[in-house]
Amino acid sequence: QVQLVESGGGLVQPGGSLRLSCAASGFSLEYYAIGWFRLAPGNERKGVSCISGSDGTTYYADSVKGRFTISRDNDKNTVYLQMNSLKPEDTSIYYCAKDLSCGGRDFGSWGQGTQVTVSS
């Protein structure tokens, strides 16, 4: 069964760090891109970062460049999102999903999400 499970969210002060995990089962990360998304106003899921399955190329939204780092561990079949220098505007529910490529428009197998709250 194909499944993605997010974890690692929590409450952190501005300037702090969190590491999110996206554990995959039922498929191999080597063949799929994994994207991190967060809910934007209006409940739209907005792309934050993505890592391709074929060569590990990474992509970031302008709002998180230089602060967030996406990585993957093929042995653990897990993708991580290291979030540093967090800002209140990073507060959201974060989801991971898979597609054939980071440029794809058919991301699916959404996890349940993990809440990130940045507040003093």
Side-chain angles (χ1 to χ4, degrees), residues 10-87:
L11 172 64
V12 64
Q13 292 186 341
S17 298
L18 282 173
R19 188 178 79 157
L20 306 184
S21 298
C22 173
S25 58
F27 70 98
S28 174
L29 291 178
E30 295 175 79
Y31 304 110
Y32 290 91
I34 298 294
W36 280 101
F37 299 78
R38 63 188 182 189
L39 281 184
N43 278 344
E44 177 189 1
R45 284 176 179 144
K46 190 172 181 182
V48 173
S49 183
C50 186
I51 186 166
S52 68
S54 56
D55 59 6
T57 302
T58 58
Y59 304 88
Y60 298 94
D62 287 343
S63 58
V64 306
K65 274 182 186 174
R67 299 188 298 122
F68 291 10
T69 303
I70 191 171
S71 63
R72 71 178 187 207
D73 184 331
N74 287 345
D75 290 338
K76 295 183 178 179
N77 222 32
T78 299
V79 172
Y80 303 98
L81 186 68
Q82 178 67 43
M83 307 187 297
N84 299 328
S85 303
L86 282 162
K87 304 175 181 179

